Amino acid sequence: LQPVFTQPAGRDVATDDEVLRDDRLKEELNVQPKPRVSRKRQICATIVAFTGLVLYTNNAPRPGSVSQSVASTPSREYEKATSSAARVKDSVAYDVDDDGLYVPSTDPDATRSTRALLTAMVEVSDTSGIMFGQQNANYEGQYFRDTDAVTGRCDIANATSTNSTSADGGFPAVVGFNSQDLLDGKDLSAHVMAAYKEGATIEFYWMSANPVTGGDEANCTGEPLTNLLPGGSGNSAWRADLDTIGNGLKSFTYKGEQIPIVFRFLHEMTGTWYWWSSGCSNSTEYAPAWNYTVNYLRDSVGVHNVLYIYAASKVSWYANETFVDWYPGNSAVDIIGFDRYQNVAEYPTSVLSDCQTAVAHGIKLGKVVALAETGISMGIQGIKNTNFFTDDFMGLLAEDELCGQIVYALTWANYSPEKYWVPLKGQTTWSSFAEMYESDISIFAGDKRWVSIQKKIGLGNKPDTGEDVL
């Protein structure tokens, strides 16, 4: 095994998070404009940024107080949602087409498959389970790299199979990919199609380079949020990236139909680690940049197979910032998302608080809700809780009155046995992962509930299970 991710020389992952993050920003703020970053360089930069942000997340106090659950200090939206027993499914405010499918808020001309995916998500919100997702699930695992999508390997299959071939193992209901790969000219069509054929929903995220300097996602130089707009010094670079990404997303097809994609960009804006976040920009710059990007992809590139997910960080700490100050508007957002990493001791309280806040606001805004990216900071390889997946993660969320209505929760990629978010057999958290997989609290790609919804709506591969539709 050749691990993809290594700690940069001279950096200790246990180094104080504030120092690591601030030193990185100081270094980036002092650099001169440079060529646009390569894939190798961006990966290295992402490691450092990711390490800094998750360590920072572990220790950063809630503004004005210690971190605490929304359940103990409920917001007005939380109180309304719980007191009225409001349901996401009953509250969605999307238009409905002649076939009874929900129309994405961002695109009245969205493809039928995209409308079907949105409609399926609404249906999932009303089931007893949450779709389980993983980044790069069929691309890399603890002990494999499948860069050509020829082996069909997946650590979820490896963890849930009853034989050595993993042929009868499961597959995630959501698979995440990286838009930077499209910018680097990498062909992901085989991976995307393989996941879609398994019944998975496809998600792409984008850690965008600074369009003004070409620096990485932590480079704040040049007021990039403002200058990516028409007339700005970063507009041509931003448009070039959007052209490449948009055409890439359009190119993914199955049986002659474009595959619907969930697209996550300018995310975690309530954090401080990206050039589009509160550490480098402000809320008045954010909405114009978001709206311009959505409009350009739709109207100029002709992308009509995308659902746009707006995913802030630590939303229970920054509810007003997330859903008022930085929110780009209902017509520019299809899915309410939230990202949360935390240390193992505080993760259950933090993710539950964020989830309750997000769902309460999702009900108010008339949107479905998803946990767009989550996990224990730096991986689950070191935690001792054998019941993590049933007690502190999926079971905790699924059994909550509000959080049981989120559509999916996406964990991060498995890099190696030293850094992973999905366990294999014999590892500490595997038994609870297997229990979660077999239970009704989770939905994987082959789950009869998900297959039934797909068949009912006419979405995806829709494998025949012999079961009647819902």
Side-chain angles (χ1 to χ4, degrees):
L1 176 70
Q2 296 180 344
V4 171
F5 287 80
T6 57
Q7 185 66 19
R11 293 283 194 178
D12 184 347
V13 294
T15 300
D16 180 77
D17 48 271
E18 292 268 2
V19 174
L20 177 62
R21 182 174 57 86
D22 291 345
D23 282 350
R24 176 168 176 73
L25 289 178
K26 289 176 183 177
E27 291 169 2
E28 292 294 345
L29 284 167
N30 288 329
V31 296
Q32 297 299 314
K34 52 184 180 269
R36 297 183 68 75
V37 291
S38 67
R39 171 65 170 162
K40 181 177 180 181
R41 182 174 180 181
Q42 189 184 60
I43 289 175
C44 293
T46 300
I47 299 164
V48 178
F50 183 74
T51 300
L53 77 88
V54 295
L55 289 174
Y56 171 73
T57 298
N58 285 344
N59 300 310
R62 179 177 178 173
S65 67
V66 295
S67 179
Q68 51 190 309
S69 171
V70 168
S72 62
T73 56
S75 66
R76 292 180 181 177
E77 287 75 17
Y78 177 85
E79 290 175 336
K80 290 178 183 177
T82 53
S83 64
S84 63
R87 303 290 299 174
V88 169
K89 184 177 180 180
D90 298 330
S91 304
V92 293
Y94 309 110
D95 290 337
V96 180
D97 68 12
D98 293 339
D99 295 327
L101 300 178
Y102 289 112
V103 180
S105 303
T106 60
D107 189 0
D109 297 319
T111 65
R112 188 199 182 281
S113 63
T114 308
R115 299 178 186 212
L117 176 58
L118 180 60
T119 306
M121 288 183 167
V122 175
E123 293 293 322
V124 169
S125 74
D126 204 41
T127 68
S128 59
I130 299 169
M131 296 169 71
F132 187 92
Q134 188 183 24
Q135 184 74 16
N136 292 350
N138 63 348
Y139 189 92
E140 60 185 338
Q142 290 190 42
Y143 292 99
F144 78 87
R145 297 292 182 273
D146 187 4
T147 57
D148 299 316
V150 295
T151 67
R153 295 172 110 180
C154 169
D155 270 353
I156 289 175
N158 295 333
T160 57
S161 65
T162 59
N163 58 61
S164 60
T165 66
S166 76
D168 65 342
F171 196 84
V174 182
V175 177
F177 296 98
N178 189 350
S179 297
Q180 183 63 40
D181 288 333
L182 303 180
L183 294 173
D184 292 340
K186 186 176 295 184
D187 184 4
L188 292 177
S189 57
H191 291 89
V192 171
M193 182 174 291
Y196 193 66
K197 287 176 67 176
E198 290 283 351
T201 294
I202 307 302
E203 185 259 11
F204 271 80
Y205 87 109
W206 186 22
M207 296 273 281
S208 47
N210 183 321
V212 176
T213 67
D216 64 28
E217 68 280 349
N219 185 301
C220 298
T221 304
E223 299 182 349
L225 265 186
T226 297
N227 279 312
L228 66 80
L229 298 173
S233 58
N235 181 251
S236 60
W238 192 249
R239 284 188 289 106
D241 283 353
L242 292 180
D243 288 341
T244 301
I245 291 172
N247 286 316
L249 298 180
K250 287 166 55 179
S251 72
F252 299 126
T253 60
Y254 179 72
K255 294 184 177 179
E257 186 177 44
Q258 287 180 334
I259 293 173
I261 307 289
V262 177
F263 186 48
R264 182 165 59 104
F265 71 107
L266 299 184
H267 56 295
E268 299 176 11
M269 75 298 299
T270 49
T272 58
W273 35 85
Y274 299 136
W275 58 257
W276 58 86
S277 71
S278 64
C280 299
S281 303
N282 61 65
S283 59
T284 59
E285 298 173 308
Y286 184 84
W290 175 284
N291 282 277
Y292 173 71
T293 301
V294 171
N295 293 341
Y296 186 86
L297 285 170
R298 182 191 63 222
D299 301 334
S300 298
V301 189
V303 177
H304 297 290
N305 62 317
V306 163
L307 298 175
Y308 296 89
I309 182 169
Y310 168 80
S313 175
K314 298 178 284 191
V315 298
S316 59
W317 296 3
Y318 302 109
N320 192 68
E321 291 87 344
T322 299
F323 300 108
V324 180
D325 296 344
W326 291 72
Y327 190 62
N330 261 13
S331 64
V333 173
D334 298 312
I335 304 168
I336 296 297
F338 62 104
D339 293 5
R340 169 60 85 163
Y341 286 92
Q342 196 69 42
N343 62 51
V344 65
E346 297 182 355
Y347 181 79
T349 299
S350 297
V351 75
L352 184 63
S353 297
D354 281 3
C355 185
Q356 292 169 340
T357 301
V359 175
H361 282 86
I363 289 171
K364 179 182 178 182
L365 295 168
K367 310 284 186 184
V368 292
V369 182
L371 180 41
E373 183 183 333
T374 192
I376 300 300
S377 304
M378 308 310 296
I380 62 172
Q381 62 280 345
I383 71 175
K384 307 300 182 184
N385 180 10
T386 58
N387 297 321
F388 170 73
F389 284 95
T390 51
D391 292 356
D392 291 346
F393 180 28
M394 200 65 104
L396 178 72
L397 299 179
E399 293 168 7
D400 182 79
E401 185 175 8
L402 287 177
C403 296
Q405 300 178 69
I406 65 172
V407 177
Y408 68 80
L410 185 141
T411 58
W412 206 240
N414 280 4
Y415 297 140
S416 75
E418 288 73 44
K419 191 180 293 294
Y420 62 85
W421 279 264
V422 169
L424 297 178
K425 295 177 182 179
Q427 294 173 335
T428 303
T429 55
W430 174 79
S431 60
S432 65
F433 184 86
E435 182 180 347
M436 175 199 70
Y437 172 77
E438 295 290 346
S439 74
D440 287 338
I441 63 176
S442 65
I443 295 176
F444 287 78
D447 190 289
K448 291 179 180 179
R449 292 167 293 178
W450 177 234
V451 173
S452 180
I453 290 172
Q454 288 180 299
K455 291 175 66 177
K456 173 185 175 181
I457 295 172
L459 171 68
N461 193 28
K462 306 175 291 297
D464 189 359
T465 62
E467 300 289 326
D468 294 332
V469 298
L470 294 174

